[in-house]
Amino acid sequence: MPRPIPPLNPLRAFEVAARHLSFTRAAEELCVTPSAVSHQIKVLEDNLGIPLFVRDTKSLILTSAGKTYLPGVQEAFRQLVQATYRVQRERQSQALKLNLPPTFAVKWLIPRMKRFIALHPDIDLRVSTSKNMSDFERDDVDIEVRYGRGDYPGLHTELCLPVEVTPVCSPALLAGAAPLVRADDLRHHTLLHDDSTYDDVSNPDWATWLERAGVSGVDTSRGPSFWPSHLVIDAAIDGLGVALAKRNWIRRDIAAGRLVEPFPDLALTIEFSYYLVYPEERAADPRIQAFAAWVREEGARDGSE
């Protein structure tokens, strides 16, 4: 009779621990204790009859056998994930599960969803938000939007929205006691800060924007901060001060007269952009194809407005 494969829990513990080379980080991902991970690894090593890790007080190192075993285990889990994905897709409705940055969902997707529904009434969008990237092998997500440089190995990546930032405020503030005629006039106003930069070193804060605009002597350490980004936009709409906002999020507010750009010529293009991301093997999924095509159309619509 063929030798049975080891139990799945120890195999999963081995894959995660080998990926992190840390029982502690593996425990965090698996939501168990480090000792539980160590126990599962011991079960697997006893089952195989070979050590998979060299353990010392400072590091965790794969043995030669562990290095040989790991790629096959990882590929087996990938195949399990894809098989599960296919069978669930056949069983479930045509729902498409999206994971998006919060403000992308609030300020870009939702205002346009009627157009998607009209084009694809058979596809139900299930929208969740997070600033963290999904793990497509573990999370129940079909496709997501990521904010970064577009470097996501092993995944299909497509530019969704380039980004510019610009100061915005309510029309009442613009026409108030201290009108915003020049960038230097910002010294008379409260600066509203967006804390949701997602570790984006290219995204200018107020200090960077003012320096680029040639303005000095403005205290950029003061003023309230907000996360997610749509909160700082709402604060600007309510007249609390001037926000430095992504143009992608304010088009409707500008068109409706809720916001104005006091210095439209001083908008800055930044390095990070929004990307549509999903596993390469899902490229033939007609729901994903439909959503990606619609995003392209909406992006082109933005560019022509």
Side-chain angles (χ1 to χ4, degrees), residues 164-179:
E164 289 182 319
V165 295
T166 182
V168 292
C169 64
S170 73
L173 197 67
L174 187 66

Side-chain angles (χ1 to χ4, degrees), residues 99-170:
N99 184 47
L100 311 173
T103 302
F104 186 100
V106 171
K107 303 297 285 187
W108 195 89
L109 177 72
I110 292 174
R112 294 165 167 78
M113 276 184 66
K114 282 185 179 179
R115 292 200 284 264
F116 182 85
I117 292 168
L119 286 171
H120 304 285
D122 56 328
I123 301 177
D124 294 326
L125 297 182
R126 295 185 182 174
V127 181
S128 61
T129 65
S130 172
K131 68 178 294 186
N132 299 317
M133 294 186 295
S134 298
D135 181 340
F136 286 102
E137 293 188 8
R138 295 189 299 114
D139 300 329
D140 190 17
V141 173
D142 295 313
I143 187 171
E144 75 174 355
V145 171
R146 294 182 179 178
Y147 181 58
R149 293 186 174 89
D151 182 20
Y152 307 114
L155 297 172
H156 175 89
T157 303
E158 179 177 340
L159 178 64
C160 179
L161 294 175
V163 176
E164 289 182 319
V165 295
T166 182
V168 292
C169 64
S170 73

Side-chain angles (χ1 to χ4, degrees), residues 261-284:
E261 285 185 81
F263 318 112
D265 294 337
L266 295 180
L268 294 178
T269 301
I270 63 176
E271 181 182 349
F272 275 31
S273 298
Y274 288 89
Y275 292 87
L276 211 57
V277 178
Y278 53 87
E280 294 279 4
E281 56 268 24
R282 298 184 190 176

Side-chain angles (χ1 to χ4, degrees), residues 80-287:
L80 278 172
V81 168
Q82 290 308 311
T84 304
Y85 175 80
R86 287 192 294 270
V87 74
Q88 287 181 333
R89 190 180 69 189
E90 292 173 1
R91 178 180 61 83
Q92 293 175 348
S93 69
Q94 289 297 303
L96 182 66
K97 298 168 186 174
L98 313 175
N99 184 47
L100 311 173
T103 302
F104 186 100
V106 171
K107 303 297 285 187
W108 195 89
L109 177 72
I110 292 174
R112 294 165 167 78
M113 276 184 66
K114 282 185 179 179
R115 292 200 284 264
F116 182 85
I117 292 168
L119 286 171
H120 304 285
D122 56 328
I123 301 177
D124 294 326
L125 297 182
R126 295 185 182 174
V127 181
S128 61
T129 65
S130 172
K131 68 178 294 186
N132 299 317
M133 294 186 295
S134 298
D135 181 340
F136 286 102
E137 293 188 8
R138 295 189 299 114
D139 300 329
D140 190 17
V141 173
D142 295 313
I143 187 171
E144 75 174 355
V145 171
R146 294 182 179 178
Y147 181 58
R149 293 186 174 89
D151 182 20
Y152 307 114
L155 297 172
H156 175 89
T157 303
E158 179 177 340
L159 178 64
C160 179
L161 294 175
V163 176
E164 289 182 319
V165 295
T166 182
V168 292
C169 64
S170 73
L173 197 67
L174 187 66
L180 287 163
V181 179
R182 302 181 304 274
D184 187 70
D185 295 329
L186 285 166
R187 69 180 66 253
H188 306 300
H189 293 270
T190 300
L191 301 183
L192 308 177
H193 302 272
D194 181 355
D195 273 352
S196 48
T197 58
Y198 297 83
D199 299 322
D200 175 10
V201 295
S202 81
N203 193 36
D205 56 14
W206 272 116
T208 305
W209 187 91
L210 288 164
E211 181 181 359
R212 300 269 187 92
V215 176
S216 60
V218 177
D219 185 359
T220 59
S221 66
R222 300 297 305 278
S225 299
F226 302 87
W227 185 92
S229 298
H230 55 274
L231 297 183
V232 76
I233 295 170
D234 288 345
I237 290 171
D238 286 341
L240 296 184
V242 186
L244 195 59
K246 294 181 176 69
R247 269 184 167 165
N248 312 87
W249 310 152
I250 59 172
R251 283 189 171 89
R252 287 168 57 90
D253 295 315
I254 295 286
R258 293 185 290 267
L259 287 174
V260 291
E261 285 185 81
F263 318 112
D265 294 337
L266 295 180
L268 294 178
T269 301
I270 63 176
E271 181 182 349
F272 275 31
S273 298
Y274 288 89
Y275 292 87
L276 211 57
V277 178
Y278 53 87
E280 294 279 4
E281 56 268 24
R282 298 184 190 176
D285 187 325
R287 302 166 308 152

